[in-house]
């Protein structure tokens, strides 16, 4: 059988692409080396956030967040979708200047925000330490349980003309032929590489590096934290490429658990927990929320995220490989941008204009 579309990877990006393209009436097969959402998707925080590192990043995250809002009424309760908002926390006057810059940037582009002073910040999040100067509340941000959302996307796609193959690794892509480790081959008119940091194994010319991260989740503590909280120093640590870094980043879950991050490491090849990194990460969290010292953690885990040189994903046709497309390199924003990625890719495959300019995400910028 020849499919219209073969998608490599059943993480949230691959699942979103399968759902969108199946709605076009295309015959889709999704091939996953392990289990659905078993890779990078399983190890993230589920933050649906608008980011402003660049105009292109802002455009894609804003567009994607709007798509999440559009689909939110269809999401089952298991997806735990909640528009809790994000507070970017400022510890000093320099960071308050960044708060005001972000407010101007967001609001001139249609994102509602609110500057919080020290008193308002304490009222919004009483468990933050006293003495923080304030923060920026971005009201449209939210969280989702990404494993359940991925399954929902795939289940919807399977109700159309989509097939799912799990526990079969793709070992080679040749034109329109996808070769599996079982020896079987699958033919498709178009192949989409949505395999996260494994994408590079199939297409050696991709500029993708792995960033390792640790996360901790706690027992249930109702109302301990109400918003996604991120220190403004997070942006600096997120872009560090020459040293390990940690930053205060906590997320409330509808289960009353608290998800605590974050760390970033380059050149880390094993997925084992590095307790020296966890200690640094938790000490950073204690600086902002001292009460976290008294709570119990239930699990620690690690994951790898696929990063590109300019922190933007690859979305679109591969410039060298006929019939091959990319939907990869999202680093820590794959959950947020999954729906936007799927829309942009569907537009390109179907020969349509996109709602946003898709040229900044073209693989042509690094694959020559």
């Amino acid at each position: 059988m020849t499919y219209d579309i073969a998608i490599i990877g059943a993480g949230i990006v691959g699942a979103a692409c399968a759902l969108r393209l199946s709605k076009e009436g295309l015959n889709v097969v999704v091939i996953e080396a392990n289990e659905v959402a078993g890779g990078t998707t399983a190890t993230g925080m589920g933050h649906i956030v608008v980011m402003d590192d660049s105009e292109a990043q802002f455009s894609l995250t804003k567009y994607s967040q709007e798509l999440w809002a559009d689909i939110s009424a269809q999401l089952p309760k298991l997806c735990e979708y909640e528009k809790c908002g994000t507070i970017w926390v400022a510890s000093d006057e320099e960071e308050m200047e960044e708060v005001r810059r972000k407010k101007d940037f967001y609001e001139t582009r249609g994102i509602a925000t609110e500057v919080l002073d020290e008193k308002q910040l304490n009222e919004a999040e009483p468990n933050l330490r006293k003495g923080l100067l304030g923060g920026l509340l971005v009201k449209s941000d939210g969280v989702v349980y990404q494993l359940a959302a991925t399954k929902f996307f795939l289940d919807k796609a399977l109700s159309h003309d989509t097939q799912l193959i799990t526990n079969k690794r793709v070992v080679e892509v040749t034109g329109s032929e996808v070769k599996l480790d079982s020896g079987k081959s699958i033919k498709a008119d178009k192949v989409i590489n949505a395999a996260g940091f494994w994408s590079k194994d199939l297409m050696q010319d991709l500029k993708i590096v792995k960033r390792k991260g640790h996360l901790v989740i706690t027992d249930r503590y109702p109302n301990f934290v109400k918003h996604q909280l991120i220190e403004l120093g997070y942006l600096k640590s997120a872009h560090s490429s020459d040293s390990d870094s940690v930053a205060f980043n906590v997320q409330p879950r509808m289960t009353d658990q608290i998800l605590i991050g974050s760390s970033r490491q380059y050149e880390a090849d094993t997925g084992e927990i590095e307790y020296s990194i966890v200690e640094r990460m938790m000490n950073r969290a204690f600086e902002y929320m001292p009460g976290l010292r008294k709570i119990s953690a239930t699990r620690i885990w690690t994951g790898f995220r696929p990063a590109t040189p300019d922190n933007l994903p690859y979305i679109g046709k591969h410039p060298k490989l006929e019939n091959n497309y990319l939907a990869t390199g999202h680093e820590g924003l794959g959950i947020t941008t999954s729906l936007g990625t799927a829309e942009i890719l569907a537009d390109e495959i179907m020969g349509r204009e996109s709602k946003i300019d898709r040229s900044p995400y073209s693989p042509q910028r690094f694959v020559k």
Side-chain angles (χ1 to χ4, degrees):
M1 180 176 180
T2 298
Y3 294 88
D4 296 320
I5 304 286
I7 299 174
I8 305 169
I12 196 164
V13 172
C17 290
L19 174 57
R20 187 64 191 86
L21 290 165
S22 67
K23 287 183 176 180
E24 296 285 352
L26 298 175
N27 184 10
V28 178
V29 60
V30 181
I31 309 158
E32 169 56 47
N34 300 295
E35 300 295 332
V36 169
T40 298
T41 297
T43 63
M45 291 190 82
H47 195 189
I48 302 173
V49 56
V50 173
M51 297 289 284
D52 65 337
D53 287 1
S54 65
E55 289 286 357
Q57 186 188 73
F58 176 84
S59 182
L60 181 59
T61 53
K62 179 177 183 290
Y63 179 39
S64 299
Q65 189 179 87
E66 291 168 351
L67 293 169
W68 275 104
D70 291 344
I71 203 174
S72 62
Q74 302 175 40
L75 296 173
K77 287 186 178 180
L78 284 174
C79 291
E80 299 177 17
Y81 176 84
E82 182 181 17
K83 196 177 285 189
C84 61
T86 298
I87 298 178
W88 294 88
V89 180
S91 61
D92 55 32
E93 187 53 45
E94 182 181 1
E95 291 183 355
M96 281 303 294
E97 282 298 315
E98 176 63 8
V99 161
R100 290 184 277 270
R101 185 205 65 79
K102 286 175 78 72
K103 176 181 175 62
D104 290 344
F105 185 95
Y106 283 153
E107 295 209 336
T108 57
R109 293 162 177 80
I111 299 292
T113 65
E114 181 181 348
V115 174
L116 307 179
D117 61 20
E118 182 177 351
K119 180 175 181 294
Q120 291 168 320
L121 181 64
N122 289 335
E123 290 172 350
E125 292 289 348
N127 285 307
L128 283 170
R129 70 171 170 84
K130 302 302 183 281
L132 295 166
L133 290 197
L136 183 72
L137 171 60
V138 185
K139 302 175 183 179
S140 59
D141 288 352
V143 297
V144 70
Y145 180 40
Q146 67 272 21
L147 277 71
T150 302
K151 186 176 185 302
F152 170 74
F153 293 163
L154 275 177
D155 286 346
K156 294 285 284 184
L158 293 172
S159 71
H160 296 86
D161 199 4
T162 296
Q163 303 296 316
L164 174 63
I165 299 172
T166 58
N167 298 300
K168 294 290 186 292
R169 184 175 296 279
V170 175
V171 295
E172 187 179 359
V173 180
T174 306
S176 297
E177 187 175 18
V178 178
K179 298 180 181 180
L180 307 182
D181 56 3
S182 64
K184 180 180 177 181
S185 291
I186 293 173
K187 292 185 177 180
D189 294 336
K190 293 178 175 60
V191 178
I192 298 171
N193 186 341
F197 69 83
W198 290 285
S199 300
K200 190 175 180 180
D201 293 346
L202 299 173
M203 298 175 181
Q204 299 296 321
D205 54 359
L206 288 183
K207 293 185 184 299
I208 288 179
V209 296
K210 294 192 297 186
R211 280 182 172 175
K212 181 179 179 180
H214 289 71
L215 289 175
V216 175
I217 197 161
T218 74
D219 207 341
R220 299 172 191 269
Y221 296 90
N223 298 314
F224 188 91
V225 59
K226 300 175 184 178
H227 304 82
Q228 178 94 26
L229 301 177
I230 312 176
E231 65 165 295
L232 277 161
Y234 171 90
L235 298 176
K236 186 181 295 183
S237 70
H239 295 153
S240 172
S241 60
D242 56 2
S243 63
D244 299 343
S245 63
V246 299
F248 170 64
N249 186 355
V250 302
Q251 181 181 102
R253 304 301 316 184
M254 288 182 71
T255 57
D256 292 326
Q257 294 171 284
I258 306 161
L259 191 55
I260 305 171
S262 63
S263 69
R264 277 178 166 79
Q265 295 171 267
Y266 277 103
E267 299 179 1
D269 292 324
T270 68
E272 66 185 20
I273 296 169
E274 297 178 55
Y275 287 97
S276 61
I277 294 291
V278 175
E279 183 179 16
R280 284 178 56 192
M281 185 177 80
M282 293 306 301
N283 283 336
R284 189 64 176 171
F286 298 155
E287 288 180 28
Y288 282 82
M289 299 192 89
L292 287 173
R293 291 182 180 275
K294 300 177 182 180
I295 70 175
S296 299
T298 59
R299 189 163 74 94
I300 304 170
W301 68 92
T302 68
F304 291 100
R305 300 173 178 91
T308 66
D310 61 359
N311 300 307
L312 294 174
Y314 298 125
I315 309 172
K317 192 176 188 307
H318 193 292
K320 291 182 178 178
L321 303 177
E322 190 68 24
N323 305 317
N324 278 245
Y325 292 77
L326 296 169
T328 189
H330 296 77
E331 213 257 314
L333 289 171
I335 294 155
T336 292
T337 59
S338 55
L339 293 176
T341 296
E343 288 289 336
I344 289 171
L345 199 59
D347 289 339
E348 182 164 345
I349 288 172
M350 302 303 292
R352 298 188 296 248
E353 292 294 319
S354 295
K355 184 175 178 180
I356 64 173
D357 178 13
R358 59 178 181 252
S359 62
Y361 324 109
S362 170
Q364 290 187 350
R365 68 190 194 275
F366 291 121
V367 182
K368 304 299 183 182

